[in-house]
């Protein structure tokens, strides 16, 4: 079994949709980025790639490549799953934490888990999603951005 961690941050801006875990969340701001800026899935993909010692998402899906402009992070997660399979890995477990003051994530967590499980072809009990605030401290506490952390385990088949 191999373990990987991932971390990502994106700025909140007006005029963008807020997408986390492949779920569009109603909010007055969205995350700025080259793709759909799903910070949660970006951290998850980095943790999966890290567990397999395959670099990071910037290496595989650079923001200098227009092919990935506006792309769904769920689609990129599916591509990461394909890269893992090519190297003989399957996903064992993923655990993701969203760090945001607002909006509240609880109403969307189960749909996020289902999206991830379906994409990675694992059972929902192999996927954990949780959210926390920073009690008003820092850029997330001030509502300037959202961060995410992820830990994944993969196994060689």
């Amino acid at each position: 079994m191999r373990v990987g961690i991932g971390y990502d941050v994106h700025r909140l801006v007006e005029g963008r949709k807020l997408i986390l875990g492949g779920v569009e969340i109603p909010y007055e701001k969205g995350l700025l980025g080259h793709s759909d800026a799903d910070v949660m899935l970006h951290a998850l993909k980095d943790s999966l790639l890290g567990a397999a010692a395959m670099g990071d998402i910037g290496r595989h899906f650079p923001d200098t490549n227009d092919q990935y402009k506006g792309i769904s992070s769920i689609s990129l997660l599916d591509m990461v799953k394909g890269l893992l399979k090519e190297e003989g890995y399957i996903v064992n477990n993923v655990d993701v934490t969203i760090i945001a003051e607002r909006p509240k994530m609880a109403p969307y967590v189960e749909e996020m888990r289902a999206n991830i499980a379906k994409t990675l072809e694992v059972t929902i009990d192999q996927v954990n999603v949780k959210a926390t605030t920073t009690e008003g401290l820092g850029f997330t506490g001030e509502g300037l951005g959202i961060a995410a952390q992820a830990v994944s385990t993969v196994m060689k088949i």
Side-chain angles (χ1 to χ4, degrees):
M1 179 142 353
R2 298 172 62 119
V3 178
I5 62 170
Y7 177 78
D8 199 23
V9 173
H10 284 271
R11 178 182 305 277
L12 281 165
V13 296
E14 293 182 7
R16 294 267 306 189
K17 293 179 182 180
L18 178 59
I19 300 171
L20 293 169
V23 178
E24 187 174 331
I25 299 172
Y27 193 58
E28 66 264 13
K29 294 181 179 179
L31 294 169
L32 182 63
H34 186 70
S35 65
D36 64 4
D38 187 330
V39 68
M40 175 187 162
L41 292 183
H42 291 190
L44 175 57
K45 290 177 287 196
D46 269 349
S47 72
L48 290 166
L49 290 167
M54 296 175 66
D56 61 21
I57 58 174
R59 174 176 152 196
H60 294 278
F61 315 108
D63 63 6
T64 56
N65 187 333
D66 284 342
Q67 173 184 354
Y68 304 117
K69 186 163 181 60
I71 194 169
S72 160
S73 290
I74 284 285
S75 295
L76 292 174
L77 182 61
D78 189 53
M79 291 179 204
V80 167
K81 177 190 69 183
L83 292 170
L84 292 172
K85 280 186 177 180
E86 286 174 15
E87 295 298 318
Y89 290 102
I90 59 169
V91 176
N92 181 59
N93 186 69
V94 300
D95 185 17
V96 185
T97 303
I98 304 164
I99 305 160
E101 206 69 26
R102 296 173 304 282
K104 294 298 180 195
M105 301 295 160
Y108 310 102
V109 165
E110 291 309 311
E111 187 176 356
M112 293 172 184
R113 289 179 69 210
N115 288 344
I116 293 166
K118 179 181 177 185
T119 304
L120 293 177
E121 298 177 357
V122 298
T123 61
I124 199 147
D125 67 337
Q126 292 172 279
V127 177
N128 191 52
V129 173
K130 55 196 178 296
T132 190
T133 70
T134 56
E135 303 293 328
L137 299 173
F139 72 91
T140 57
E142 294 173 14
L144 299 175
I146 295 178
Q149 298 175 326
V151 176
S152 300
T153 58
V154 299
M155 298 184 302
K156 195 84 161 173
I157 49 174

PDB file of all heavy atoms in Angstrom, residues 121-141:
ATOM      1  N   GLU A 121     -14.276   4.416  -9.525  1.00  0.00           N
ATOM      2  CA  GLU A 121     -14.725   3.021  -9.552  1.00  0.00           C
ATOM      3  C   GLU A 121     -14.408   2.311  -8.241  1.00  0.00           C
ATOM      4  O   GLU A 121     -13.850   1.216  -8.210  1.00  0.00           O
ATOM      5  CB  GLU A 121     -14.131   2.271 -10.749  1.00  0.00           C
ATOM      6  CG  GLU A 121     -14.562   2.843 -12.080  1.00  0.00           C
ATOM      7  CD  GLU A 121     -13.916   2.149 -13.281  1.00  0.00           C
ATOM      8  OE1 GLU A 121     -13.077   1.239 -13.101  1.00  0.00           O
ATOM      9  OE2 GLU A 121     -14.268   2.536 -14.404  1.00  0.00           O
ATOM     10  N   VAL A 122     -14.778   2.977  -7.134  1.00  0.00           N
ATOM     11  CA  VAL A 122     -14.657   2.403  -5.801  1.00  0.00           C
ATOM     12  C   VAL A 122     -16.020   2.523  -5.118  1.00  0.00           C
ATOM     13  O   VAL A 122     -16.921   3.192  -5.620  1.00  0.00           O
ATOM     14  CB  VAL A 122     -13.566   3.120  -4.953  1.00  0.00           C
ATOM     15  CG1 VAL A 122     -12.191   2.974  -5.596  1.00  0.00           C
ATOM     16  CG2 VAL A 122     -13.893   4.594  -4.729  1.00  0.00           C
ATOM     17  N   THR A 123     -16.153   1.879  -3.973  1.00  0.00           N
ATOM     18  CA  THR A 123     -17.402   1.992  -3.224  1.00  0.00           C
ATOM     19  C   THR A 123     -17.392   3.286  -2.414  1.00  0.00           C
ATOM     20  O   THR A 123     -16.323   3.827  -2.098  1.00  0.00           O
ATOM     21  CB  THR A 123     -17.602   0.785  -2.289  1.00  0.00           C
ATOM     22  OG1 THR A 123     -16.524   0.753  -1.351  1.00  0.00           O
ATOM     23  CG2 THR A 123     -17.660  -0.511  -3.080  1.00  0.00           C
ATOM     24  N   ILE A 124     -18.578   3.743  -2.077  1.00  0.00           N
ATOM     25  CA  ILE A 124     -18.681   5.023  -1.372  1.00  0.00           C
ATOM     26  C   ILE A 124     -18.002   4.971  -0.005  1.00  0.00           C
ATOM     27  O   ILE A 124     -17.535   5.995   0.496  1.00  0.00           O
ATOM     28  CB  ILE A 124     -20.147   5.494  -1.277  1.00  0.00           C
ATOM     29  CG1 ILE A 124     -20.194   6.992  -0.977  1.00  0.00           C
ATOM     30  CG2 ILE A 124     -20.928   4.673  -0.279  1.00  0.00           C
ATOM     31  CD1 ILE A 124     -21.331   7.728  -1.575  1.00  0.00           C
ATOM     32  N   ASP A 125     -17.897   3.775   0.592  1.00  0.00           N
ATOM     33  CA  ASP A 125     -17.239   3.684   1.898  1.00  0.00           C
ATOM     34  C   ASP A 125     -15.718   3.769   1.790  1.00  0.00           C
ATOM     35  O   ASP A 125     -15.022   3.764   2.805  1.00  0.00           O
ATOM     36  CB  ASP A 125     -17.675   2.432   2.654  1.00  0.00           C
ATOM     37  CG  ASP A 125     -17.209   1.135   2.031  1.00  0.00           C
ATOM     38  OD1 ASP A 125     -16.923   1.118   0.811  1.00  0.00           O
ATOM     39  OD2 ASP A 125     -17.132   0.138   2.763  1.00  0.00           O
ATOM     40  N   GLN A 126     -15.198   3.916   0.572  1.00  0.00           N
ATOM     41  CA  GLN A 126     -13.764   4.151   0.371  1.00  0.00           C
ATOM     42  C   GLN A 126     -13.467   5.641   0.160  1.00  0.00           C
ATOM     43  O   GLN A 126     -12.326   6.007  -0.091  1.00  0.00           O
ATOM     44  CB  GLN A 126     -13.270   3.357  -0.845  1.00  0.00           C
ATOM     45  CG  GLN A 126     -13.284   1.853  -0.633  1.00  0.00           C
ATOM     46  CD  GLN A 126     -12.977   1.123  -1.920  1.00  0.00           C
ATOM     47  OE1 GLN A 126     -13.846   0.940  -2.772  1.00  0.00           O
ATOM     48  NE2 GLN A 126     -11.720   0.705  -2.073  1.00  0.00           N
ATOM     49  N   VAL A 127     -14.504   6.463   0.270  1.00  0.00           N
ATOM     50  CA  VAL A 127     -14.372   7.902   0.021  1.00  0.00           C
ATOM     51  C   VAL A 127     -14.906   8.673   1.229  1.00  0.00           C
ATOM     52  O   VAL A 127     -16.060   8.497   1.624  1.00  0.00           O
ATOM     53  CB  VAL A 127     -15.172   8.319  -1.241  1.00  0.00           C
ATOM     54  CG1 VAL A 127     -15.103   9.826  -1.447  1.00  0.00           C
ATOM     55  CG2 VAL A 127     -14.677   7.570  -2.474  1.00  0.00           C
ATOM     56  N   ASN A 128     -14.069   9.536   1.779  1.00  0.00           N
ATOM     57  CA  ASN A 128     -14.517  10.407   2.863  1.00  0.00           C
ATOM     58  C   ASN A 128     -14.316  11.857   2.449  1.00  0.00           C
ATOM     59  O   ASN A 128     -13.279  12.214   1.878  1.00  0.00           O
ATOM     60  CB  ASN A 128     -13.746  10.129   4.159  1.00  0.00           C
ATOM     61  CG  ASN A 128     -14.385  10.841   5.332  1.00  0.00           C
ATOM     62  OD1 ASN A 128     -15.572  10.710   5.554  1.00  0.00           O
ATOM     63  ND2 ASN A 128     -13.599  11.609   6.054  1.00  0.00           N
ATOM     64  N   VAL A 129     -15.311  12.678   2.716  1.00  0.00           N
ATOM     65  CA  VAL A 129     -15.249  14.114   2.450  1.00  0.00           C
ATOM     66  C   VAL A 129     -15.728  14.825   3.698  1.00  0.00           C
ATOM     67  O   VAL A 129     -16.773  14.476   4.267  1.00  0.00           O
ATOM     68  CB  VAL A 129     -16.143  14.512   1.247  1.00  0.00           C
ATOM     69  CG1 VAL A 129     -16.202  16.028   1.097  1.00  0.00           C
ATOM     70  CG2 VAL A 129     -15.641  13.862  -0.045  1.00  0.00           C
ATOM     71  N   LYS A 130     -14.966  15.822   4.112  1.00  0.00           N
ATOM     72  CA  LYS A 130     -15.374  16.624   5.262  1.00  0.00           C
ATOM     73  C   LYS A 130     -14.983  18.067   5.012  1.00  0.00           C
ATOM     74  O   LYS A 130     -14.215  18.361   4.096  1.00  0.00           O
ATOM     75  CB  LYS A 130     -14.754  16.089   6.547  1.00  0.00           C
ATOM     76  CG  LYS A 130     -13.256  15.961   6.511  1.00  0.00           C
ATOM     77  CD  LYS A 130     -12.779  15.069   7.641  1.00  0.00           C
ATOM     78  CE  LYS A 130     -11.304  14.852   7.641  1.00  0.00           C
ATOM     79  NZ  LYS A 130     -10.762  14.159   6.503  1.00  0.00           N
ATOM     80  N   ALA A 131     -15.536  18.956   5.808  1.00  0.00           N
ATOM     81  CA  ALA A 131     -15.240  20.380   5.647  1.00  0.00           C
ATOM     82  C   ALA A 131     -15.000  20.997   7.017  1.00  0.00           C
ATOM     83  O   ALA A 131     -15.535  20.530   8.025  1.00  0.00           O
ATOM     84  CB  ALA A 131     -16.395  21.083   4.949  1.00  0.00           C
ATOM     85  N   THR A 132     -14.187  22.040   7.009  1.00  0.00           N
ATOM     86  CA  THR A 132     -13.915  22.775   8.234  1.00  0.00           C
ATOM     87  C   THR A 132     -13.748  24.252   7.897  1.00  0.00           C
ATOM     88  O   THR A 132     -13.589  24.611   6.730  1.00  0.00           O
ATOM     89  CB  THR A 132     -12.656  22.223   8.946  1.00  0.00           C
ATOM     90  OG1 THR A 132     -12.561  22.803  10.245  1.00  0.00           O
ATOM     91  CG2 THR A 132     -11.381  22.517   8.149  1.00  0.00           C
ATOM     92  N   THR A 133     -13.805  25.076   8.914  1.00  0.00           N
ATOM     93  CA  THR A 133     -13.529  26.499   8.748  1.00  0.00           C
ATOM     94  C   THR A 133     -12.205  26.807   9.431  1.00  0.00           C
ATOM     95  O   THR A 133     -11.619  25.944  10.086  1.00  0.00           O
ATOM     96  CB  THR A 133     -14.629  27.370   9.391  1.00  0.00           C
ATOM     97  OG1 THR A 133     -14.540  27.257  10.814  1.00  0.00           O
ATOM     98  CG2 THR A 133     -16.016  26.964   8.913  1.00  0.00           C
ATOM     99  N   THR A 134     -11.769  28.046   9.302  1.00  0.00           N
ATOM    100  CA  THR A 134     -10.575  28.486  10.035  1.00  0.00           C
ATOM    101  C   THR A 134     -10.956  29.530  11.081  1.00  0.00           C
ATOM    102  O   THR A 134     -10.126  30.348  11.477  1.00  0.00           O
ATOM    103  CB  THR A 134      -9.519  29.048   9.067  1.00  0.00           C
ATOM    104  OG1 THR A 134     -10.102  30.109   8.310  1.00  0.00           O
ATOM    105  CG2 THR A 134      -8.987  27.968   8.152  1.00  0.00           C
ATOM    106  N   GLU A 135     -12.237  29.475  11.505  1.00  0.00           N
ATOM    107  CA  GLU A 135     -12.727  30.369  12.562  1.00  0.00           C
ATOM    108  C   GLU A 135     -12.456  31.839  12.239  1.00  0.00           C
ATOM    109  O   GLU A 135     -12.086  32.635  13.099  1.00  0.00           O
ATOM    110  CB  GLU A 135     -12.103  30.002  13.911  1.00  0.00           C
ATOM    111  CG  GLU A 135     -12.354  28.567  14.341  1.00  0.00           C
ATOM    112  CD  GLU A 135     -13.810  28.270  14.663  1.00  0.00           C
ATOM    113  OE1 GLU A 135     -14.512  29.178  15.134  1.00  0.00           O
ATOM    114  OE2 GLU A 135     -14.236  27.134  14.414  1.00  0.00           O
ATOM    115  N   GLY A 136     -12.596  32.195  10.959  1.00  0.00           N
ATOM    116  CA  GLY A 136     -12.424  33.585  10.532  1.00  0.00           C
ATOM    117  C   GLY A 136     -10.982  34.008  10.311  1.00  0.00           C
ATOM    118  O   GLY A 136     -10.730  35.159   9.961  1.00  0.00           O
ATOM    119  N   LEU A 137     -10.035  33.105  10.479  1.00  0.00           N
ATOM    120  CA  LEU A 137      -8.618  33.453  10.345  1.00  0.00           C
ATOM    121  C   LEU A 137      -8.107  33.167   8.933  1.00  0.00           C
ATOM    122  O   LEU A 137      -8.547  32.231   8.267  1.00  0.00           O
ATOM    123  CB  LEU A 137      -7.786  32.662  11.351  1.00  0.00           C
ATOM    124  CG  LEU A 137      -8.112  32.909  12.819  1.00  0.00           C
ATOM    125  CD1 LEU A 137      -7.336  31.950  13.708  1.00  0.00           C
ATOM    126  CD2 LEU A 137      -7.819  34.353  13.196  1.00  0.00           C
ATOM    127  N   GLY A 138      -7.152  33.963   8.489  1.00  0.00           N
ATOM    128  CA  GLY A 138      -6.480  33.734   7.222  1.00  0.00           C
ATOM    129  C   GLY A 138      -7.346  34.007   6.006  1.00  0.00           C
ATOM    130  O   GLY A 138      -8.469  34.494   6.109  1.00  0.00           O
ATOM    131  N   PHE A 139      -6.802  33.663   4.814  1.00  0.00           N
ATOM    132  CA  PHE A 139      -7.502  33.973   3.571  1.00  0.00           C
ATOM    133  C   PHE A 139      -8.809  33.197   3.439  1.00  0.00           C
ATOM    134  O   PHE A 139      -9.769  33.707   2.888  1.00  0.00           O
ATOM    135  CB  PHE A 139      -6.592  33.743   2.349  1.00  0.00           C
ATOM    136  CG  PHE A 139      -6.332  32.299   2.035  1.00  0.00           C
ATOM    137  CD1 PHE A 139      -7.162  31.609   1.167  1.00  0.00           C
ATOM    138  CD2 PHE A 139      -5.265  31.631   2.607  1.00  0.00           C
ATOM    139  CE1 PHE A 139      -6.922  30.273   0.872  1.00  0.00           C
ATOM    140  CE2 PHE A 139      -5.024  30.302   2.325  1.00  0.00           C
ATOM    141  CZ  PHE A 139      -5.863  29.618   1.461  1.00  0.00           C
ATOM    142  N   THR A 140      -8.857  31.955   3.965  1.00  0.00           N
ATOM    143  CA  THR A 140     -10.123  31.219   3.882  1.00  0.00           C
ATOM    144  C   THR A 140     -11.136  31.818   4.845  1.00  0.00           C
ATOM    145  O   THR A 140     -12.314  31.962   4.498  1.00  0.00           O
ATOM    146  CB  THR A 140      -9.932  29.712   4.171  1.00  0.00           C
ATOM    147  OG1 THR A 140      -9.343  29.542   5.439  1.00  0.00           O
ATOM    148  CG2 THR A 140      -9.089  29.055   3.091  1.00  0.00           C
ATOM    149  N   GLY A 141     -10.682  32.186   6.014  1.00  0.00           N
ATOM    150  CA  GLY A 141     -11.572  32.787   7.003  1.00  0.00           C
ATOM    151  C   GLY A 141     -12.138  34.122   6.565  1.00  0.00           C
ATOM    152  O   GLY A 141     -13.266  34.482   6.914  1.00  0.00           O
TER     153      GLY A 141
END
